[in-house]
Every structure is written in structure tokens, then in C-alpha cells.
Amino acid sequence: AAPASRDAAFGIVVLIGLHLWRGSSYWDYSEGVYALSSRLFLHGGDLYGHIVAAQPPGLFAVGAGILGLHDSLGWLRLVLGVWQVAGGVLSGVLVWRLTASRVAAAAAPALTLLTPWAVHAHGELLPELFGAPLTIGILLAGERDRAALAGLLAAVAVGFKAPFVLPAAVALLCTRDRWRALSWGAGWLGAGALLSVLIFGGGLWRDVVVAQLHSGHRRPAYVAQAVWGVLGLLVPGAIAMWQRQRSSDPRGVVALAALSAAWLVTILSTAKIGTVLNVMVPIEGVLVPLGLTGVVLAWRADRLRGLVASAGIVFVLAQGLALVAYPDRTILPFLYPGVGRGNWGRADSSDTVDASVAAARVCPPGVPYSGGPFVAFI
């Protein structure tokens, strides 16, 4: 396999740049909720009791673990950014197995960080950051006939967010020993669910399932932006399927395409109030290795196909960089045509956040804070 250290090099450079660019800026309401809930859980808070939590306990356990080492926003974001790079390295390993292209494998970690919604959610404590690395890990474990490990990764994925059960199950079905992997997955998941109920009681079911089902629905306007964000990856991804016989592992290309399709189905969850376009992060994460595979296979076929596939990668990269350049007044090509500037952009700059934090610190000790959880966390 291509050396992981070399594959990670470009990703680490991008990570440092994004970490410095992001600072303490405020992007997503959920980040503050999950970070503050994780801290409360770390210090003995009653998760799924006095602390309402809309996700399974895996997210809060990881958040508490990171904050237990050092409690700050910068540290939390840095560790999660490193996790994103690690997911990109796994993508690079997968690309190497499918194409034997060192260039494509080395590009995977950096591109994983620079897709538009990965930039939007960079370094945030969100369940979506864990979806793609874990399910790609299932495919890699399955290729080595490690059914128990594949099943464990599937159960862990569902432990971050319940809808991850669909792509996790599809990934298990794509392993070489699928029925054994599914059996391990069901066993791990059952054991985790039983342990969670014993620890957290009925509040877990109430918060994660019942409350989510009763949150209401919105018009699926988000779907247009979601599809626009992955068009650049869908084109070379389709070419990868078309040209899969040129791959060193055609079966592996089909498995990755099936996993990508399963993740694409989760776009439908944005019709539920409370689910936002962070769902695009794992979708982009699995489409990156598929798209890079498509580029390599397209160039092996002929120049025209290679140019078309490469144009798709350039387009998605331009979307991510446009968000970096214009985080407040978002523009094309990050936004789909016809949408007014400013949608899905940064809520507050680092300077504005710092001013809000300074104002909050004036509050006397013991007085409940009425502002947002992000400022409260800082």
C-alpha cells in the first residue's frame, strides 16, 4: 500500500490552514449543543435525563473524552480536524487499492477536507464527521476478511447517529464474508444498545427516537443545494462505475459505489426539521475516493473522459474554496444558481464571537445564561 505518512502530508497542510482560518468563528448551532452537552456529561451530567440529547451516546462519549484531555474550543476542533485527515487517509488507501495511483491516493486526504460541506463543518463535534471514515473502514476490513472488525465499525457508526444504520448495513453487505459480518454487526449493535439502556434508561429512546419522529417536516428545499454540492463528485463517480473493469479491483469499485448510493439516500432526512445539510459531510467523504478512482480510470480510457472526470473534481474543489474565500456572503459555485448570497454561510466571525464571550463573562456566577450554547461553551 502507499505509505500513509505521504498520503497524509497534503491533508495536514490543509488542516493547519483551515484550523487557523476558522479560529473561534461560529458556523453551526449544533456544534455548541453537542460540545456543551459533552462537557456536562464529562462532569457527571444526566444525559437523556436533565440533558436532552438528540443523538446516540457515541458522540457525547467522544466529545467528553477529548475535553477530558484539554477543555477548549481550539483543542476540540483540532482533534476533530485530525480525525478528518485520518478519514482522508483511509480514502487514500482505498483509492490505492482500486487504482494503484500514488497521485490520486496522496490527493485524497486534502480533497476530503476541501469539499464544500467538509469545509463548512470543519473541526465541529458533529455525528456526521464520523460516518464516512467508519463505513470506509468497514469496506477495508471486509476486504481483509475481518468480519468481526467490520461488524464492530458498523455498530460504532450507528452509535453516533441512528440513520447511519443504512450505509453501515450496505457496507457490511459489500464485504467478502457478508453474512458473518452482518452477524457480528448485529451482535455488537445489540450489545451496545443493551448497555446504553442499562446506563441511560428510557430517556435514550425518548430523546433519540420518539422526539426525532415528532419534530415535524419542512419542504425539501435543501435537496437542491445538497445535490448541487455533490454534482462534481457524481460525474467522475459514474465514470468509475462505467470504467470499473480498468480498475485493479472492479468488485471494490462496485462496493464503494453501493456505499455512496446508500449515503445519498440519507439526503431525504433533510426533510425533517432539525436535520440540516451537515448530512452532506459523509456523502462527500465516500464520493471522494469514488470520484478520484473515476478520474484515474477515465484517463486510462481516453483524454476526453479524463478531462470530464477531472472537471468534476475541479468544480467541487472550487465550491469548497469559494466558501473559504467568502464565508459570510456565500457565492457561486458554493451556492446553487438562483439562491441569494449569504445562505449557509458563517454565522459570526471570530471577532464577533470573542465580543459575545466577553459580554457573557460579565454575568455573575450562578446566573443562568440566556444566550446560545456555543458562546456558553467557550
Side-chain angles (χ1 to χ4, degrees):
S5 58
R6 189 203 60 236
D7 288 355
F10 294 118
I12 291 172
V13 171
V14 173
L15 165 64
I16 294 171
L18 288 175
H19 185 71
L20 294 174
W21 163 76
R22 201 169 186 89
S24 58
S25 57
Y26 175 40
W27 287 77
D28 191 287
Y29 185 83
S30 296
E31 180 186 19
V33 173
Y34 296 145
L36 189 56
S37 298
S38 296
R39 178 190 288 149
L40 294 172
F41 179 47
L42 171 65
H43 295 290
D46 183 16
L47 197 64
Y48 308 110
H50 291 99
I51 305 171
V52 176
Q55 305 297 348
L59 180 69
F60 307 104
V62 168
I66 297 172
L67 295 173
L69 296 175
H70 180 68
D71 192 338
S72 74
L73 177 68
W75 168 252
L76 183 63
R77 284 182 168 177
L78 180 61
V79 173
L80 292 167
V82 171
W83 167 259
Q84 288 178 276
V85 174
V89 171
L90 289 180
S91 293
V93 172
L94 191 56
V95 171
W96 172 256
R97 289 189 181 181
L98 298 178
T99 67
S101 169
R102 295 187 181 278
V103 174
L111 183 60
T112 296
L113 292 179
L114 289 173
T115 53
W117 287 97
V119 170
H120 195 282
H122 179 77
E124 294 187 3
L125 183 62
L126 301 172
E128 289 80 8
L129 256 63
F130 298 88
L134 289 170
T135 51
I136 289 174
I138 294 171
L139 295 183
L140 292 172
E143 287 299 309
R144 299 296 186 185
D145 291 328
R146 295 173 180 169
L149 176 59
L152 176 61
L153 292 173
V156 170
V158 180
F160 282 95
K161 191 168 185 175
F164 290 2
V165 67
L166 174 61
V170 170
L172 290 175
L173 285 170
C174 293
T175 59
R176 293 191 179 277
D177 194 350
R178 66 183 65 178
W179 300 118
R180 188 162 166 259
L182 281 168
S183 298
W184 274 106
W188 286 118
L189 184 60
L194 178 61
L195 181 62
S196 297
V197 170
L198 290 175
I199 295 173
F200 301 109
L204 174 66
W205 177 263
R206 180 197 63 221
D207 286 11
V208 175
V209 179
V210 177
Q212 292 280 8
L213 292 175
H214 289 81
S215 64
H217 296 82
R218 64 163 74 90
R219 294 179 180 178
Y222 278 20
V223 174
Q225 177 67 30
V227 173
W228 176 255
V230 293
L231 276 179
L233 293 171
L234 288 175
V235 172
I239 294 175
M241 275 296 290
W242 180 24
Q243 300 292 323
R244 62 185 179 276
Q245 293 306 321
R246 299 179 184 274
S247 168
S248 52
D249 183 9
R251 181 186 176 279
V253 176
V254 174
L256 182 55
L259 176 60
S260 300
W263 275 114
L264 282 166
V265 171
T266 63
I267 290 177
L268 299 177
S269 66
T270 59
K272 183 182 70 65
I273 293 174
T275 300
V276 294
L277 284 177
N278 293 326
V279 300
M280 299 308 300
V281 177
I283 296 172
E284 292 173 348
V286 296
L287 283 174
V288 163
L290 185 64
L292 288 173
T293 298
V295 170
V296 175
L297 301 184
W299 279 107
R300 289 176 182 173
D302 58 58
R303 174 182 251 178
L304 178 60
R305 293 175 208 178
L307 288 172
V308 171
S310 299
I313 298 296
V314 170
F315 178 67
V316 77
L317 185 60
Q319 288 179 299
L321 292 176
L323 184 60
V324 173
Y326 298 96
D328 302 308
R329 297 291 294 168
T330 47
I331 62 170
L332 281 167
F334 171 73
L335 295 176
Y336 71 90
V339 178
R341 287 188 175 190
N343 282 280
W344 295 292
R346 180 173 65 182
D348 287 315
S349 67
S350 293
D351 290 342
T352 303
V353 169
D354 292 343
S356 299
V357 170
R361 284 180 173 145
V362 176
C363 295
V367 176
Y369 177 62
S370 60
F374 181 74
V375 172
F377 172 77
I378 298 176

